[in-house]
């Protein structure tokens, strides 16, 4: 999957579509297999980028730890009866509480829209995250039960819930911290890339429901597909934290930035408002090269010249242009 971060609205339609489809059973209340974080931000779970995991440069496992429940966020409950049905709607408002009645301290999208920088150069962008279905998944090798496996036919990484015993070594090993623990079933669970839909030619729910049409779905080796073109032909889609060594199969087209504003209110196009160093920390040293290419192709398109890259990113025909191998309408199954 490729995310074009220049199109993400932060609307959370993807997170809700995933939540409604896959994580509604007991013990899954706190699980959000798809999230959209505001960047710069601490993310989900809180400060996940500093928890370790993945592989060192020499191939050895990188020390890590399991995210705490408070860092991921609990299954919040709201005073809906009081607000909507108790006649108190004017005097009070919706307030979240943890199941034990305590006040939440963190959760998905806790720092939504906060971002970084100081006015007038404050900035943020949205970054969706799912399991990266890595080519060299640390979670798979960490599992002592052999419960995690990667499918040969499409590369989807799955957990066999009949073999899993909830040891949580996978949660420790995953550097992206996209695995949850189900305390009711004593197993770990995560994004399954909607494999029951994919097997029937239907795009994953998060991609199919995305109103911004930023989620491209396909195969890296399909030279006519958008994934191959964005990752290998034009090389504008980059992996998140490639240095973790797991070879993730989710890629990001980095966000363009408005120019900085000086003390006199003048724009300086040579200084992007989102610091280049910050983007390089997420997507590696090729970020500037990628952004310059996108800006050049964007200017060509504005002049009325042909740009295959811009035509691909724009997505004129839905769903054919964005996930050509998964165009079946789920309503027709």
């Amino acid at each position: 999957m490729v995310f074009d971060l220049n199109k993400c609205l932060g609307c959370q339609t993807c997170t809700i579509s995933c939540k409604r489809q896959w994580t509604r059973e007991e013990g899954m209340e706190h699980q959000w297999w798809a999230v959209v974080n505001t960047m710069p931000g601490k993310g989900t779970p809180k400060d996940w980028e500093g928890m370790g995991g993945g592989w060192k440069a020499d191939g050895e496992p990188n020390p890590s730890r399991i995210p705490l429940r408070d860092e991921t966020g609990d299954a919040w409950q709201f005073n809906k009866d009081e607000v909507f049905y108790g006649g108190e709607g004017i005097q009070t408002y919706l307030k979240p509480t943890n199941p034990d009645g305590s006040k939440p301290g963190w959760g998905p999208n806790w720092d939504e829209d906060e971002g970084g920088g100081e006015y007038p150069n404050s900035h943020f962008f949205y970054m969706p995250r799912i399991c990266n279905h890595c080519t060299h998944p640390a979670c798979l090798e960490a599992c002592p039960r052999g419960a995690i496996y990667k499918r040969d036919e499409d590369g989807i990484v799955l957990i066999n819930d009949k073999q899993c015993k909830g040891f949580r070594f996978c949660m420790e090993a995953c550097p992206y911290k996209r695995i949850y623990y189900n305390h009711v079933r004593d197993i770990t669970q995560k994004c399954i890339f909607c494999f029951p839909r994919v097997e029937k030619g239907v795009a994953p729910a998060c991609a199919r429901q995305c109103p911004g049409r930023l989620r491209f779905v396909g195969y890296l080796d399909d030279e006519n597909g958008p994934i191959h073109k964005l990752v290998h032909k034009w090389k504008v889609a980059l992996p998140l934290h490639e240095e973790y060594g797991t070879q993730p199969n989710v890629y990001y087209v980095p966000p363009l930035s408005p120019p900085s504003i000086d003390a006199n209110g003048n724009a300086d196009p040579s200084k992007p408002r989102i610091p280049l160093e910050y983007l390089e920390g997420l997507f590696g040293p090729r970020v500037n090269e990628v952004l310059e290419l996108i800006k050049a192709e964007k200017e060509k398109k504005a002049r009325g010249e042909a740009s295959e890259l811009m035509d691909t990113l724009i997505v004129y025909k839905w769903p054919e242009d964005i996930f050509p191998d998964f165009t079946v309408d789920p309503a027709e199954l």
Side-chain angles (χ1 to χ4, degrees):
M1 187 179 289
V2 169
F3 298 107
D4 183 356
L5 297 184
N6 294 291
K7 292 169 139 185
C8 186
L9 311 171
C11 66
Q12 308 291 346
T13 305
C14 54
T15 62
I16 298 301
S17 62
C18 176
K19 183 70 178 171
R20 293 294 299 168
Q21 180 138 12
W22 299 117
T23 59
R24 293 185 295 167
E25 297 179 358
E26 192 175 9
M28 304 177 80
E29 296 87 348
H30 68 295
Q31 298 186 21
W32 295 85
W33 291 355
V35 295
V36 180
N37 292 154
T38 295
M39 306 298 284
K42 296 182 178 180
T44 309
K46 183 180 182 181
D47 290 326
W48 64 272
E49 290 170 283
M51 292 182 182
W55 309 101
K56 299 178 183 177
D58 61 4
E60 292 295 314
N62 195 32
S64 180
R65 68 175 178 86
I66 300 172
L68 302 175
R69 183 71 170 258
D70 290 344
E71 294 169 322
T72 299
D74 215 326
W76 298 345
Q77 298 171 346
F78 292 87
N79 54 329
K80 294 179 181 176
D81 287 342
E82 180 185 23
V83 173
F84 297 134
Y85 309 113
E88 300 293 333
I90 297 177
Q91 290 78 28
T92 189
Y93 53 90
L94 283 176
K95 301 172 186 175
T97 55
N98 290 321
D100 62 1
S102 62
K103 185 178 180 180
W106 195 258
N109 313 315
W110 187 270
D111 53 357
E112 188 170 87
D113 291 359
E114 289 187 7
E118 298 291 338
Y119 177 84
N121 289 306
S122 49
H123 56 268
F124 70 80
F125 62 91
Y126 299 114
M127 188 170 73
R129 296 205 303 124
I130 60 174
C131 168
N132 287 292
H133 298 278
C134 304
T135 297
H136 187 196
C139 61
L140 186 154
E141 296 196 27
C143 179
R145 294 280 302 172
I148 300 182
Y149 60 102
K150 186 174 178 65
R151 306 206 310 183
D152 292 335
E153 62 268 37
D154 51 23
I156 295 174
V157 176
L158 297 174
I159 300 174
N160 184 333
D161 60 5
K162 292 183 174 58
Q163 286 185 236
C164 179
K165 295 298 181 184
F167 294 158
R168 285 168 276 183
F169 290 109
C170 56
M171 296 177 66
E172 183 177 349
C174 173
Y176 299 98
K177 304 306 176 193
R178 296 309 306 140
I179 304 178
Y180 291 86
Y181 175 63
N182 186 323
H183 66 282
V184 174
R185 298 183 60 193
D186 194 20
I187 59 173
T188 55
Q189 296 173 305
K190 68 170 194 67
C191 160
I192 58 174
F193 208 79
C194 286
F195 76 87
R197 295 169 62 106
V198 167
E199 289 175 352
K200 296 180 179 178
V202 180
C206 61
R208 178 99 191 174
Q209 297 298 321
C210 175
R213 298 182 181 178
L214 63 102
R215 294 172 179 246
F216 296 80
V217 181
Y219 299 101
L220 274 170
D221 57 358
D222 177 7
E223 296 186 0
N224 296 317
I227 304 296
H228 179 88
K229 290 179 179 178
L230 294 171
V231 175
H232 290 312
K233 182 176 181 180
W234 296 301
K235 298 181 172 58
V236 296
L238 304 170
L240 175 64
H241 286 302
E242 188 176 24
E243 72 275 14
Y244 292 166
T246 60
Q247 301 173 31
N249 288 301
V250 170
Y251 299 84
Y252 295 86
V253 177
L256 296 166
S257 175
S260 293
I261 305 295
D262 66 19
N264 297 316
N266 299 313
D268 183 352
S270 68
K271 297 180 180 177
R273 200 173 303 177
I274 304 174
L276 184 61
E277 296 76 14
Y278 178 72
L279 295 178
E280 289 177 338
L282 294 174
F283 306 115
R286 289 193 56 248
V287 167
N288 190 50
E289 173 188 337
V290 168
L291 293 176
E292 290 300 318
L293 175 59
I294 293 174
K295 282 190 282 188
E297 292 296 307
K298 185 179 175 184
E299 290 169 2
K300 281 174 58 180
K301 192 70 178 176
R303 293 194 300 266
E305 300 174 19
S307 171
E308 188 182 12
L309 173 56
M310 282 297 109
D311 287 345
T312 300
L313 292 174
I314 289 171
V315 182
Y316 291 101
K317 293 182 293 183
W318 183 93
E320 294 88 349
D321 287 353
I322 197 164
F323 25 80
D325 298 313
F326 306 98
T327 58
V328 175
D329 187 339
E332 297 177 354
L333 293 177

